[in-house]
Amino acid sequence: MRIDVLTIFPEYLAPLSQSLLGKATARGLVSIGVHDLRQWTDDVHRTVDDSPYGGGPGMVMRAEPWGRALESVRLPGARLVVPTPAGRPFTQQVAARWATEPALVFACGRYEGIDQRVADWAAEAGPVEEVSIGDYVLAGGESAVLVMVEAVTRLLPGVVGNAESVEFDSHADGLLEGPSYTRPASWRGHDVPPVLLSGDHAGIARWRREQSLRRTAQRRPDLVAQLDSASLTAAEQLV
Ligand SMILES: NCc1ccc(-c2ccccc2)nc1
């Protein structure tokens, strides 16, 4: 997968070439390019923002630099992702869908956002998604891109060592992961649930399923409604 990020703060995206992602890049599983939007400005001050039409607080990012940057960076048909608090929710399902894409381009907005015509114009050349990683407002899209790139790239085959540890993540089956434990069996008066030491693999699997259902019912009732009927019935018994 090819990933390109357009931003006025390229240094903010430095973590993308470190740790897990760094290894994946080194192994050729993903290639990442981070580009300074100001490369495509046309004035001596390298201006990227201007006052909003219709008045109102703050500044809006100008369409012109974005148009030139996207023409230069975006492969034909590549999915353009624009992080915004006004976007559709970014979920594990969205991450899984994007993980099959050959290329993704992320446009990091700052100020009050990007002139809407950029997304409208970009949609003429390929898919565009305006997405939110949560109901809070950040200073710009860069943090959201770090989150989304991590969520997507860890799903690429070969990036995460133990394939199982991806398959059983929280949200992978619509449920939250239950509690995890490791040695010692007793720690400061807190003991590991005995079933986990029993060697009864069927019993352990049942216990873990129940813990996931219980935690999901208690912490994320909004997710319970989306469960299949069998899980829904089981979760409802546990609230
Ligand atoms: N859903 C998280 C999120 C994503 C982007 C932004 C944002 C804020 C200002 C300018 C441009 C984007 N805020 C929150």
Side-chain angles (χ1 to χ4, degrees):
M1 175 184 285
R2 171 70 189 179
I3 294 176
D4 287 285
V5 185
L6 289 162
T7 170
I8 59 172
F9 293 115
E11 66 281 2
Y12 202 100
L13 282 299
L16 287 185
S17 48
Q18 286 150 22
S19 77
L20 173 77
L21 212 40
K23 292 194 194 74
T25 307
R27 295 199 340 257
L29 297 169
V30 60
S31 71
I32 291 182
V34 178
H35 314 272
D36 185 342
L37 178 69
R38 293 189 195 274
Q39 274 182 240
W40 290 279
T41 52
D42 51 3
D43 64 311
V44 67
H45 299 296
R46 311 185 83 193
T47 311
V48 293
D49 63 320
D50 200 343
S51 304
Y53 274 118
M59 302 289 273
V60 174
M61 298 191 94
R62 298 170 55 229
E64 200 45 44
W66 280 106
R68 286 195 286 266
L70 288 168
E71 281 172 337
S72 167
V73 165
R74 187 188 186 195
L75 295 172
R79 184 169 300 272
L80 174 64
V81 176
V82 185
T84 167
R88 294 171 188 272
F90 175 71
T91 64
Q92 190 66 18
Q93 288 69 30
V94 175
R97 176 162 56 85
W98 291 356
T100 64
E101 294 278 346
L104 295 173
V105 178
F106 292 90
C108 299
R110 279 271 151 173
Y111 309 102
E112 299 309 309
I114 303 171
D115 186 309
Q116 187 60 45
R117 290 170 293 179
V118 174
D120 298 346
W121 163 80
E124 297 166 3
V128 177
E129 293 190 57
E130 296 184 55
V131 292
S132 165
I133 63 165
D135 294 336
Y136 37 81
V137 182
L138 304 168
E142 286 78 7
S143 304
V145 169
L146 287 174
V147 165
M148 292 190 282
V149 168
E150 179 169 334
V152 172
T153 53
R154 67 185 296 279
L155 296 178
L156 297 177
V159 171
V160 176
N162 171 354
E164 248 189 46
S165 70
V166 172
E167 186 185 344
F168 294 98
D169 280 349
S170 276
H171 302 290
D173 58 359
L175 294 176
L176 301 185
E177 270 179 296
S180 299
Y181 304 88
T182 189
R183 288 175 295 187
S186 185
W187 176 73
R188 296 189 181 184
H190 294 265
D191 297 343
V192 171
V195 66
L196 298 178
L197 310 178
S198 68
D200 169 7
H201 299 296
I204 290 169
R206 267 196 313 277
W207 182 86
R208 283 177 166 162
R209 172 81 175 166
E210 182 190 303
Q211 291 297 311
S212 286
L213 287 164
R214 183 187 306 277
R215 181 174 278 187
T216 306
Q218 289 170 344
R219 296 181 181 181
R220 292 295 304 273
D222 59 301
L223 293 179
V224 171
Q226 297 165 24
L227 296 177
D228 61 63
S229 58
S231 302
L232 184 58
T233 306
E236 283 164 343
Q237 313 301 323
L238 297 166
V239 176

